[in-house]
Amino acid sequence: MLNLVLFGPPGAGKGTQAEYLIKDFDLNHVSTGDLLRSEIAAETELGLKAKAFMDNGDLVPDEVVIGMIGSKLEANKDAKGFIFDGFPRTVAQAQALDQLLTDHSTSVAAMLSLEVEKEELMKRLLNRGLTSGRSDDQDSSIIENRINNYNEKTAPLKDFYGAQSKLHSIEGQGSIEEIAKRLNDAVKSL
Ligand code: B4P
């Protein structure tokens, strides 16, 4: 199995680039942001719990997100591999992912970290907010909170995967196609 963690701050291009990686390497896509938004749309108990956190730009509690990943792995045992998009976002989530993958006799092959400057992130997200209908993309103070949460709770995961020699930093500015090529080259070199 080829399991990739697609990493980066909000607006780094994770969802955008995941589409190319899925096609190029025939992987299953697991986006915790997308899974949470479908739970909210379906007005499930989990969705109702997650909504307030997401609307404020805060991380949803670890146990909620980890449970969703466990179900996805269980339901796709024959997959060639997974692309984890927006997960893990905390050290506890990364440890849980390692354990879940070990239980399925596999592991994370690489963390692909998209590097983008804050100014560009703000620009992309506010721009997406014009059409996405996502309230967390429409207000600069909420976007700031998301970026601060990333710097405080999520960025330390680079050390977590770096210590396992799995960190690959990728320049995340430029055209979408250029970045897709950089990611493709990085995966082929694994
Ligand atoms: P996500 O859905 O993961 O939201 P995101 O980080 O904003 O998405 P992404 O990074 O994929 O967007 P993209 O750059 O592709 O999370 C939303 C919320 O869910 C979180 O704030 C949190 O509350 C919760 N959550 C999710 N996972 C969680 C977890 N594991 N634990 C706890 N809470 C969790 O796109 C951004 C824009 O940039 C797009 O408009 C795109 O077109 C544009 N863009 C992309 N690449 C570009 C490029 N090269 N040039 C110009 N524009 C580009």
Side-chain angles (χ1 to χ4, degrees):
M1 261 193 186
L2 175 66
N3 300 307
L4 304 172
V5 169
L6 187 53
F7 191 80
K14 302 183 292 289
T16 306
Q17 294 297 336
E19 310 224 346
Y20 290 85
L21 289 165
I22 293 159
K23 274 200 209 113
D24 292 349
F25 299 99
D26 197 11
L27 302 175
N28 275 40
H29 187 203
V30 181
S31 157
T32 39
D34 288 350
L35 290 171
L36 290 166
R37 281 185 288 277
S38 350
E39 296 281 344
I40 291 173
E43 298 183 351
T44 63
E45 198 181 319
L46 190 156
L48 292 173
K49 199 168 167 189
K51 188 173 185 319
F53 292 98
M54 292 175 74
D55 282 350
N56 284 330
D58 289 327
L59 293 181
V60 173
D62 286 335
E63 65 276 13
V64 173
V65 186
I66 292 166
M68 291 191 324
I69 298 288
S71 316
K72 269 275 172 188
L73 291 181
E74 209 45 50
N76 293 283
K77 282 185 174 156
D78 296 331
K80 285 195 182 161
F82 290 89
I83 175 134
F84 295 100
D85 160 6
F87 180 88
R89 266 172 152 101
T90 62
V91 171
Q93 291 182 18
Q95 288 165 338
L97 179 61
D98 276 355
Q99 187 57 55
L100 283 166
L101 291 175
T102 303
D103 293 346
H104 288 80
S105 311
T106 185
S107 60
V108 169
M111 171 205 250
L112 306 166
S113 175
L114 291 167
E115 308 297 339
V116 179
E117 283 167 18
K118 183 176 174 190
E119 210 175 295
E120 171 73 9
L121 299 173
M122 299 286 299
K123 201 169 83 184
R124 288 184 190 178
L125 292 175
L126 285 168
N127 193 37
R128 182 171 68 183
L130 298 175
T131 53
S132 66
R134 277 178 58 174
S135 55
D136 61 343
D137 283 346
Q138 288 168 11
D139 179 323
S140 20
S141 64
I142 292 176
I143 295 177
E144 288 261 4
N145 189 34
R146 290 165 63 191
I147 295 174
N148 290 343
N149 271 317
Y150 169 81
N151 288 331
E152 199 181 305
K153 297 175 183 152
T154 306
L157 288 181
K158 286 194 210 179
D159 293 337
F160 182 91
Y161 288 104
Q164 301 177 29
S165 306
K166 291 178 177 174
L167 168 63
H168 299 256
S169 293
I170 312 283
E171 167 61 54
Q173 295 188 194
S175 77
I176 289 173
E177 290 72 23
E178 277 165 1
I179 300 161
K181 167 93 172 58
R182 286 176 204 144
L183 286 164
N184 186 295
D185 288 347
V187 176
K188 282 192 180 140
S189 72
L190 290 178

